[in-house]
Amino acid sequence: MTHRESRRQTLYMYLFISPWLIGFLVFALYPILSSLYYSFTDYDIIHPPQFIGLANYAEMFGNDLFWKSVTVTLRYTLISVPIQLLLALGFALLLNQKIPLRGFFRTAMYFPSMVSGVAMSLLWYWIFNPQIGLFNYMLSWFGIKGPAWLMNPDTALYALMIMSFWTAGSGMILFLAGLQGVPASLVEAAKLDGAGRFKIFLHVTLPMISPVLLFQLIMGMIDSFQVFTQAFVMTQGGPNYSTWFYVYNLYTSAFKEYRAGYSSALAWVLLVVVMLFTALVMKLSNRYVHYEGGKR
């Protein structure tokens, strides 16, 4: 290939990717860099931004609502993410067995993950209704009087956690893919050595699906840091700020108080925190995650 032909092919390549490239520059990179600049300004969307340095960040770390949002989001993450992983793995182990109607149950488990966040929130808002809700009605079968889930500061956050378990089917699908990739020869060898089901799971299955577990842990953590729709539709951050999630705090600052500069600072702090948590998990994973062919 001559130099001229190589340049022509390169030109064609840039021509074909130009729609994506223009879209990325205009709708992704430019807003990202703009938000970084706005985070150092006092900007109310209407008037021109005024540069104020680190004042937004200083105000943020002295704001009680900021720390409340951090506390609520961390509580949600530390409780809901591990339970979602356990549920997804448990259902995957069950539906990986040869049981009747296995395909139907797999589809039924995954289906809730396809429902939009707003529709799911409205459905669960009815389910948690203290008078006519399905959840309290089921508790009454056991003689338990259910609380006003979304109206009580002590239970509102836990209600949103329970709702999050409904989408465990998406994680189940990934675990199923991982389980079906476990070499049958390793399982048979373990059985010949006298290992029971629990030991096979602990020493063969779990190490082989550990990359899937790591991926789901990171994605679940990132998703939990960005919870917004449930709080916006169901609780509006209440009652008594018990569901005042970080992204809901960011939304309130940007679209109710019109403080685009301050909300941009909140967004960049969230980005840094997500990157740090992801890096920490990846660092710790070197000791526990098994990759075929050796460590990454």
Side-chain angles (χ1 to χ4, degrees), residues 34 37-52 56 258-261:
S34 295
Y37 166 70
Y38 290 144
S39 70
F40 299 106
T41 67
D42 180 13
Y43 183 38
D44 62 2
I45 301 176
I46 300 174
H47 301 94
Q50 301 293 324
F51 186 80
I52 57 174
N56 284 326
Y258 299 105
R259 303 188 62 195

Side-chain angles (χ1 to χ4, degrees), residues 5-286:
E5 290 175 340
S6 177
R7 289 184 60 186
R8 184 185 297 114
Q9 289 193 7
T10 303
L11 180 62
Y12 287 153
M13 183 270 294
Y14 281 113
L15 180 64
F16 285 125
I17 70 170
S18 60
W20 175 88
L21 193 60
I22 293 171
F24 172 75
L25 293 174
V26 174
F27 299 110
L29 186 61
Y30 174 72
I32 290 172
L33 296 179
S34 295
S35 71
L36 179 60
Y37 166 70
Y38 290 144
S39 70
F40 299 106
T41 67
D42 180 13
Y43 183 38
D44 62 2
I45 301 176
I46 300 174
H47 301 94
Q50 301 293 324
F51 186 80
I52 57 174
L54 297 174
N56 284 326
Y57 294 93
E59 178 186 351
M60 179 193 314
F61 292 112
N63 191 317
D64 291 340
L65 282 182
F66 167 78
W67 291 112
K68 181 66 177 179
S69 69
V70 170
T71 303
V72 168
T73 304
L74 285 178
R75 282 181 62 195
Y76 181 90
T77 300
L78 293 174
I79 297 175
S80 69
V81 172
I83 296 177
Q84 284 188 61
L85 289 176
L86 290 174
L87 286 174
L89 180 57
F91 285 124
L93 290 169
L94 178 62
L95 296 178
N96 196 43
Q97 308 300 315
K98 294 181 179 180
I99 59 175
L101 300 176
R102 181 173 63 174
F104 168 78
F105 288 118
R106 287 178 177 178
T107 304
M109 280 296 303
Y110 179 71
F111 182 76
S113 302
M114 301 174 63
V115 180
S116 72
V118 173
M120 181 175 68
S121 299
L122 292 173
L123 173 64
W124 279 88
Y125 187 82
W126 170 78
I127 290 175
F128 285 124
N129 187 289
Q131 279 79 39
I132 60 172
L134 180 63
F135 205 86
N136 280 359
Y137 176 69
M138 294 174 63
L139 290 177
S140 68
W141 296 348
F142 305 96
I144 301 174
K145 180 176 175 57
W149 289 94
L150 300 175
M151 304 172 190
N152 188 335
D154 296 328
T155 58
L157 183 61
Y158 295 105
L160 298 188
M161 292 179 189
I162 293 171
M163 185 181 74
S164 71
F165 303 152
W166 200 47
T167 58
S170 59
M172 177 205 69
I173 294 296
L174 294 177
F175 277 126
L176 271 174
L179 288 171
Q180 292 175 8
V182 176
S185 58
L186 295 180
V187 177
E188 292 299 326
K191 287 180 179 179
L192 291 175
D193 286 341
R197 288 187 176 182
F198 179 73
K199 287 189 175 181
I200 291 175
F201 170 75
L202 194 62
H203 299 292
V204 177
T205 305
L206 195 58
M208 293 301 297
I209 65 170
S210 56
V212 180
L213 183 61
L214 172 64
F215 172 78
Q216 299 225 63
L217 173 61
I218 292 175
M219 296 306 297
M221 180 183 65
I222 294 173
D223 287 343
S224 67
F225 283 161
Q226 300 180 77
V227 171
F228 168 74
T229 305
Q230 301 93 308
F232 178 74
V233 174
M234 301 173 69
T235 63
Q236 294 289 299
N240 195 26
Y241 299 102
S242 59
T243 58
W244 194 263
F245 288 96
Y246 190 95
V247 175
Y248 186 80
N249 184 39
L250 189 156
Y251 163 82
T252 302
S253 300
F255 297 103
K256 290 188 176 181
E257 300 174 359
Y258 299 105
R259 303 188 62 195
Y262 181 72
S263 62
S264 296
L266 286 170
W268 278 93
V269 168
L270 177 61
L271 173 64
V272 171
V273 169
V274 167
M275 292 176 64
L276 290 175
F277 270 84
T278 303
L280 177 63
V281 172
M282 291 297 295
K283 183 67 176 179
L284 295 175
S285 71
N286 291 333

